[in-house]
Amino acid sequence: MTMNKIMAKLRKNSKGQYTLLGVCIFLSVLMVSAFAFLYFSPTVQELLPTGGDTRKLSWLLFFVTAAGCTIFTIYGADLFFKNKSREFGVFLALGEQKRKLEVQLFREVALILLKYVFLGILAAIPVSWLIWKAFSKMLIGADQMRYRFTPLGIAAGLLFTAFLILCIGAAGIRFVKRTNIMDILNDRRKTEMVKEIKPWTGKLGLLLIIIGLLLAMAVPQLSAHLFLQLMPPVWNLTWLISLAGLYLFLLSAVAHSGIGKKRETYYKNIISTNLMRFTARQTTRNMCVIALLIFVILISAFWGIMYYVSAFINGDNAPVDYSLHYPAAESQLTKAEIEGLADEYGVDITLYEETRALELIIRHVSRDYDDNGKYFDIETEKLASFVSASDFTRISGISVTLSSGEYRTVVGSNYQRTIWVGPDCLQAVTNPVTGDSFSPVFQGTTAFENLALMSDPFVFIISDEDYLRFSSGLDEAWMENMVFFNVKDVYSTYAFAHALQDAFIGRATALSDHLSLYDAHEEKLAAEAGKSYSYSGSCGLFDESGFQTGSWKYAPFIKVLTKQDAMQLVAVFVLLSIYISILSLTACSVMSYVRSLTVALDNKNMFADLRRLGAAKAYTERVLRIQLKKIYLFPTAAGCIIGILFAALLTFFNDMRIDVFELNMLGVVGILIVVISAVMYIMYRVSLKKAEAIAEL
């Protein structure tokens, strides 16, 4: 019988080993390639702002995806080679040449790689398309978001595939380099007994997890708010404290075997209690990876759902559906033209208000930080919008009464004071034409979402007397017109919204062709000081190919389009977050399943010895069951605890409070924990059944 026939017969009798390695390779290539096809799609790349947080987080998720897939594929490969060690050693003992065995082994591995890599890449194309189509159903105006394929996605998938092949090849080379036949034959019998683990190790691990999270998440925020100091980048290393704590906690769970106070219970369970100590380090490392993957599941899903819900309710707090503002000297759409366009699209306007705002020079206090990360206060001058108390009451329906010399600040409905600039920032207000100036007294804030979006840092309300006083002498160059109107059933006015926006942009002139942060007074001060002004120049208003509404100073607020834009912006990140969660859960399941089979395989002879010594079947089953429970319970519990702590600290220290929305999001994390626990329990039952068959119980 030839070697090829012998190997074919061995493959037939060991289908599970080959299938497991193939599934690991297939899932890894499929998930990373599909991820790459989605992320590098031109549609996705056009949606993500260059250098924005969403793009950075998406890159982070991409690397986490690749790392997770690599880890559990290498783990599957190690198990494959471990299972091959016995037959490899037997052939060596029978006198077969090692070189010939190496060639045969790598031929088999190459066939597995070629088959499952090809299937993975082939399946990634329809899978990524189906995922995109399913997710786009949740978006407003999804017909505008075509899924486009790109060679860059293929290149990224192939690059990862090449890296995976190298990793599996390295594992194979490491396996065949061993020359001692007895080492190969006894590879599955090796143990790595650890020293006695002290009872306080687990408690210390939990303490370090909490300390690490607090240092990494709480200290930077507290330092910024209380001491006005940014923490240096090296402070990010405090995350390693939590990682060390996780290792100690799981090592204690695996290897601690103290007698304690209940001696009878200890001796009754002595085998199940001490069994994992023989592979403690390997088991602990495996559990750490699973716990971290579960943490990634929770945080990815938490971020994704939080982004989605935030985008879904984005703009809903605005009391007015449509609001426009533009330079008063510009000839823009009139009320009659807007109503005519609404009639054309069958839209009913239920409320319509107009007002005029003054553009006055303010001297205000804001905050910046230097190269050493130290915050400092700075007084600057710029233009800001001012409306009268009576006009504000009319357009908002909120009664505001102010005396001369007083002002209120318009903020968003969920406004929370930041360290950068406060609503009481005004030091002085000056008429840019006459030079008339006064220092108003702060009288609090008033929430009106639509108006808050029209000026940086804020729109301010002043008394009618002060409004008349400062409007005298001002020409239209220092004024803005503002339009507010509601429509019936706003989310069914998508076509009208697009037409109105196009008409508004079409009527714009060079007077409004400015970037969103442009300020005429700041530009003037920069010119007088001989400095360049970074926000000067055109925003591309008349360049159809390069114009982005979001970069325009006078971009209109249209509730239905705002929601669509927000949803499209975060859709990619949400999609990738959910995708990485599914991937990580799959990796956890595969790694736990493989580890369970390893326990049964490594201890098969021990279970046989127990039966020979007279142990009841129920006892041996109980020993195996306890081992598998540890494999699933401890990393799941550790990952969920770290995940919920991280989410709670993130929501609180983001703005030093937890609102109803954030509480709901923490509730979502709780639901995710239940789902993860259910999936892991199902995998435990599947693993237990398979492990009992392997151990012949």
Side-chain angles (χ1 to χ4, degrees):
M1 184 176 285
T2 64
M3 178 62 70
N4 286 335
K5 290 183 178 180
I6 293 174
M7 288 297 182
K9 200 166 187 65
L10 288 172
R11 279 198 302 272
K12 186 177 180 181
N13 293 331
S14 306
K15 282 184 179 179
Q17 301 174 22
Y18 292 86
T19 301
L20 182 61
L21 177 59
V23 168
C24 289
I25 295 170
F26 172 76
L27 287 176
S28 294
V29 174
L30 167 64
M31 291 183 175
V32 173
S33 297
F35 191 111
F37 295 164
L38 287 169
Y39 180 69
F40 292 109
S41 166
T43 302
V44 170
Q45 292 299 308
E46 289 168 6
L47 287 173
L48 297 178
T50 303
D53 289 340
T54 306
R55 186 179 290 271
K56 293 176 183 177
L57 289 172
S58 298
W59 271 109
L60 176 63
L61 289 182
F62 181 78
F63 286 119
V64 169
T65 302
C69 286
T70 302
I71 289 170
F72 88 85
T73 302
I74 291 176
Y75 189 77
D78 285 340
L79 183 64
F80 173 81
F81 289 121
K82 189 172 187 178
N83 288 326
K84 294 290 289 183
S85 63
R86 185 170 181 80
E87 61 187 58
F88 200 88
V90 169
F91 279 121
L92 287 176
L94 292 175
E96 186 60 72
Q97 293 182 0
K98 186 177 181 183
R99 180 62 182 170
K100 189 174 181 180
L101 290 173
E102 290 175 5
V103 172
Q104 190 67 36
L105 177 65
F106 281 111
R107 183 181 298 164
E108 291 186 358
V109 174
L111 288 174
I112 296 173
L113 283 168
L114 288 174
K115 176 183 177 181
Y116 288 99
V117 162
F118 175 75
L119 290 175
I121 293 178
L122 191 64
I125 299 173
V127 166
S128 61
W129 183 82
L130 288 172
I131 292 172
W132 178 264
K133 282 298 181 183
F135 194 79
S136 64
K137 296 299 182 183
M138 293 186 272
L139 301 177
I140 301 171
D143 55 330
Q144 304 294 321
M145 299 175 64
R146 290 189 304 108
Y147 175 67
R148 289 180 284 170
F149 194 68
T150 173
L152 189 58
I154 298 178
L158 292 176
L159 184 62
F160 170 77
T161 300
F163 175 71
L164 202 63
I165 291 173
L166 288 175
C167 290
I168 295 174
I173 292 172
R174 188 171 65 249
F175 168 74
V176 301
K177 272 190 174 181
R178 290 176 297 184
T179 56
N180 190 307
I181 295 177
M182 295 308 296
D183 283 347
I184 296 175
L185 288 171
N186 293 312
D187 182 65
R188 280 161 44 180
R189 294 178 175 269
K190 286 184 179 180
T191 62
E192 45 183 43
M193 195 70 162
V194 297
K195 297 179 180 179
E196 181 64 30
I197 302 299
K198 301 298 181 182
W200 45 261
T201 305
K203 296 176 182 177
L204 176 61
L206 283 174
L207 182 62
L208 289 177
I209 289 173
I210 296 172
I211 290 175
L213 288 173
L214 288 173
L215 289 176
M217 303 184 68
V219 170
Q221 295 295 329
L222 291 174
S223 175
H225 282 83
L226 299 179
F227 305 109
L228 302 180
Q229 177 67 53
L230 288 174
M231 300 303 295
V234 71
W235 190 259
N236 290 323
L237 294 177
T238 52
W239 285 105
L240 296 177
I241 298 174
S242 289
L243 186 59
L246 174 63
Y247 182 82
L248 290 178
F249 171 75
L250 293 176
L251 181 63
S252 175
V254 169
H256 176 56
S257 59
I259 296 177
K261 297 180 180 179
K262 298 181 180 180
R263 301 175 67 89
E264 292 182 3
T265 302
Y266 169 75
Y267 286 113
K268 180 181 178 180
N269 300 311
I270 190 169
I271 293 178
S272 58
T273 302
N274 289 275
L275 190 59
M276 279 193 176
R277 296 186 67 221
F278 294 100
T279 56
R281 292 192 183 93
Q282 181 183 357
T283 302
T284 302
R285 288 193 296 268
N286 178 262
M287 286 184 172
C288 282
V289 173
I290 294 173
L292 291 175
L293 285 173
I294 289 175
F295 169 74
V296 168
I297 295 170
L298 289 173
I299 297 309
S300 296
F302 174 71
W303 268 333
I305 295 172
M306 182 172 64
Y307 267 58
Y308 181 80
V309 175
S310 297
F312 190 77
I313 65 174
N314 188 54
D316 281 354
N317 292 326
V320 180
D321 300 331
Y322 289 75
S323 50
L324 317 172
H325 69 124
Y326 55 91
E330 187 171 78
S331 177
Q332 260 295 350
L333 297 173
T334 64
K335 179 180 179 181
E337 289 173 323
I338 293 174
E339 289 175 341
L341 192 62
D343 290 338
E344 181 182 341
Y345 284 88
V347 174
D348 294 330
I349 296 178
T350 58
L351 174 145
Y352 189 96
E353 295 288 351
E354 294 181 353
T355 190
R356 178 164 285 190
L358 308 180
E359 292 292 290
L360 305 178
I361 298 172
I362 64 170
R363 189 172 77 249
H364 75 295
V365 178
S366 61
R367 189 165 284 158
D368 203 347
Y369 59 88
D370 57 26
D371 294 337
N372 296 319
K374 182 67 177 177
Y375 290 92
F376 60 91
D377 290 336
I378 183 173
E379 283 193 0
T380 56
E381 286 187 2
K382 69 185 307 295
L383 293 174
S385 298
F386 289 78
V387 296
S388 69
S390 60
D391 283 344
F392 179 82
T393 300
R394 175 172 53 83
I395 64 176
S396 69
I398 303 171
S399 178
V400 171
T401 303
L402 292 172
S403 300
S404 180
E406 297 177 341
Y407 78 98
R408 294 184 71 88
T409 303
V410 181
V411 297
S413 56
N414 292 319
Y415 173 75
Q416 179 73 11
R417 188 185 182 103
T418 69
I419 64 173
W420 301 106
V421 59
D424 54 348
C425 61
L426 288 187
Q427 302 294 302
V429 178
T430 304
N431 185 312
V433 175
T434 66
D436 185 14
S437 179
F438 81 128
S439 297
V441 179
F442 179 62
Q443 295 297 313
T445 62
T446 300
F448 187 64
E449 200 84 23
N450 296 80
L451 203 57
L453 301 171
M454 294 184 177
S455 178
D456 179 66
F458 302 101
V459 172
F460 301 97
I461 309 170
I462 54 178
S463 68
D464 290 0
E465 295 89 344
D466 290 332
Y467 183 89
L468 289 173
R469 168 188 164 190
F470 279 89
S471 62
S472 63
L474 280 184
D475 55 31
E476 288 187 335
W478 302 101
M479 296 181 183
E480 281 188 359
N481 288 336
M482 297 179 175
V483 177
F484 306 87
F485 64 93
N486 282 330
V487 297
K488 186 177 180 180
D489 194 10
V490 61
Y491 291 118
S492 66
T493 62
Y494 184 77
F496 166 70
H498 261 297
L500 177 69
Q501 179 172 271
D502 290 343
F504 184 73
I505 294 173
R507 292 285 287 273
T509 67
L511 292 173
S512 57
D513 186 17
H514 300 299
L515 293 168
S516 57
L517 294 178
Y518 172 80
D519 186 281
H521 186 68
E522 287 181 338
E523 184 178 43
K524 176 186 174 184
L525 293 178
E528 291 174 352
K531 299 179 181 179
S532 61
Y533 182 61
S534 56
Y535 299 113
S536 62
S538 172
C539 68
L541 185 62
F542 306 112
D543 180 7
E544 294 183 3
S545 61
F547 177 64
Q548 297 290 330
T549 308
S551 64
W552 187 27
K553 180 179 177 67
Y554 297 98
F557 170 81
I558 301 175
K559 187 177 288 187
V560 63
L561 295 186
T562 298
K563 176 164 287 190
Q564 179 215 26
D565 292 343
M567 290 292 290
Q568 288 183 351
L569 178 62
V570 304
V572 176
F573 183 71
V574 175
L575 174 62
L576 298 183
S577 295
I578 296 174
Y579 190 81
I580 191 67
S581 299
I582 296 172
L583 166 69
S584 299
L585 190 55
T586 303
C588 288
S589 301
V590 171
M591 291 187 69
S592 300
Y593 177 77
V594 170
R595 189 62 194 165
S596 300
L597 301 191
T598 304
V599 169
L601 200 62
D602 289 347
N603 297 288
K604 181 177 180 179
N605 293 331
M606 187 273 293
F607 288 119
D609 292 339
L610 285 176
R611 289 195 300 271
R612 294 189 191 99
L613 291 172
K617 181 182 178 181
Y619 179 79
T620 53
E621 289 176 347
R622 180 170 172 271
V623 170
L624 178 62
R625 190 163 54 249
I626 290 175
Q627 305 314 304
L628 267 58
K629 280 183 179 179
K630 290 180 179 179
I631 290 173
Y632 282 92
L633 176 61
F634 291 128
T636 302
C640 290
I641 289 171
I642 296 174
I644 193 69
L645 283 175
F646 179 92
L649 292 173
L650 178 69
T651 53
F652 177 76
F653 286 105
N654 184 46
D655 54 9
M656 298 299 176
R657 65 171 182 167
I658 296 181
D659 56 26
V660 175
F661 168 72
E662 291 168 335
L663 283 175
N664 290 335
M665 293 310 304
L666 291 177
V668 171
V669 176
I671 295 173
L672 290 173
I673 288 175
V674 173
V675 172
I676 292 170
S677 300
V679 171
M680 296 301 280
Y681 177 76
I682 293 171
M683 289 304 303
Y684 159 72
R685 298 299 302 179
V686 173
S687 301
L688 179 60
K689 185 176 181 180
K690 182 64 176 178
E692 286 177 343
I694 292 174
E696 298 178 357
L697 300 182

